[in-house]
Amino acid sequence: MSSSTATARTEWLNPIGSRLAIPGRSNHFRRRWKLINRRNFAVTRFVATGTSIMTPSIAAESSQGLQQLPFKQEGYNYWTWRGYKVHYVVEGEGFPVVMIHGFASSSFHWRYNIPELAKRYKVYALDLLGFGWSEKALTDYDALIWRDQVVDFLKEIVKQPAILVGNSLGGFTTLLAAAALPDQVEGVSLLNSAGRFGDDISTTDKTEETALHKFIVKPVEEIVQRVVVRLAFFLTMQPDQIEAVLKSGVYVNHSNVDDYLIDSIVRPAADPNAYEVYYRLLTQLMSNPTKYTLDSVLSQLSCPLLLLWGDLDPWVHDHGKPNRIRDFYPNTSLVNLQAGHYPQDEVPEQVNKALLDWLSTLS
């Protein structure tokens, strides 16, 4: 894999585990691991054996002084899509706002936004297939599977025009859905969205695959890949490793890197097939970063666009990206935030205000 291709893959997904570091055997690590075991949430080869690691006191706390979506071990609502179990949250009444999380995240990552927006709007937060409390389906993962999931959610559950809000991978998914269903999407808001412009991605011509590579080299490569990815998955989904990555610049302000956040990432990783989904994402979805580009999708968009951008995001290598989006798509409003990759959770008051101000001009 060339360095340029590796950069493109990281940029497209921005996964929690994009920077791998082995956690040391510190006292802090041992204390946290004992805490998880005491809460009866055993993670052995990522199979859940107990009840929620969230306590009522944690669920009620808010370092921002904002109301927080209560954490529910069993989730909120479920919808059957293509035979798969899909999780979503719905709160409030009024014009619909649909929120889509990023890679390795869930609807709980909108914990500070849902209660505030639900005071004026009917807010939905959807877990993408393979993530959060949705089923870890053994299927081929491609950007279009999530586009289709969001489109069908709008048709079958929301059933009326709506605003889409997406972070990271969820941002690019909302763009695809808005382009596919223009009559039902009245606006899109992106928070540090994944996706790259076509001219940023270098491509190389593929040579014809030889029989030796196809039948001998490739199977061996896949075995090695699986071993490496399984190890990476196990290491990156340890509570201390997640905390370390989030505090490495992904969150500039660490106030909200708390048990609620870490547990909302660890819990889905314990689901059956979670590792296999992770492996398929790395080997299938990212195998062709040139297939879907921002310019190709934005050229199909027809609704107002709001960018809420954490300017200190270490996972977005192109710091001029929001300005490039605005230049390419003039019907764009831009709000710059002093935050990392997840501004909705790091600076929720600012995100909520900007969203509510913008929504008031549309609905």
Side-chain angles (χ1 to χ4, degrees), residues 108-126:
F108 289 106
H109 214 169
W110 304 101
R111 53 178 169 164
Y112 293 124
N113 316 110
I114 294 172
E116 190 66 22
L117 269 62
K119 294 175 182 177
R120 305 186 194 179
Y121 299 94
K122 188 169 188 176
V123 182
Y124 296 87
L126 176 67

Side-chain angles (χ1 to χ4, degrees), residues 253-273:
N253 183 327
H254 301 164
S255 298
N256 289 338
V257 181
D258 54 15
D259 284 349
Y260 184 119
L261 177 63
I262 294 169
D263 295 344
S264 72
I265 298 171
V266 172
R267 168 62 183 83
D271 288 347
N273 300 328

Side-chain angles (χ1 to χ4, degrees), residues 276-316:
E276 181 63 26
V277 170
Y278 185 81
Y279 175 77
R280 292 187 183 204
L281 285 167
L282 292 180
T283 57
Q284 295 175 7
L285 177 61
M286 295 186 294
S287 63
N288 190 355
T290 66
K291 190 173 182 181
Y292 308 105
T293 61
L294 279 171
D295 40 328
S296 65
V297 181
L298 286 170
S299 63
Q300 303 174 56
L301 204 64
S302 59
C303 62
L305 179 63
L306 171 66
L307 303 181
L308 300 175
W309 215 266
D311 288 336
L312 306 179
D313 187 349
W315 283 344
V316 176

Side-chain angles (χ1 to χ4, degrees), residues 67-85:
Q67 184 181 351
Q68 187 172 218
L69 180 74
F71 188 101
K72 290 187 179 181
Q73 165 73 12
E74 70 279 8
Y76 278 76
N77 305 281
Y78 289 91
W79 165 57
T80 300
W81 179 69
R82 297 184 178 179
Y84 301 124
K85 189 177 180 181

Side-chain angles (χ1 to χ4, degrees), residues 311-324:
D311 288 336
L312 306 179
D313 187 349
W315 283 344
V316 176
H317 302 286
D318 180 6
H319 294 293
K321 182 175 177 180
N323 291 317
R324 290 192 65 188

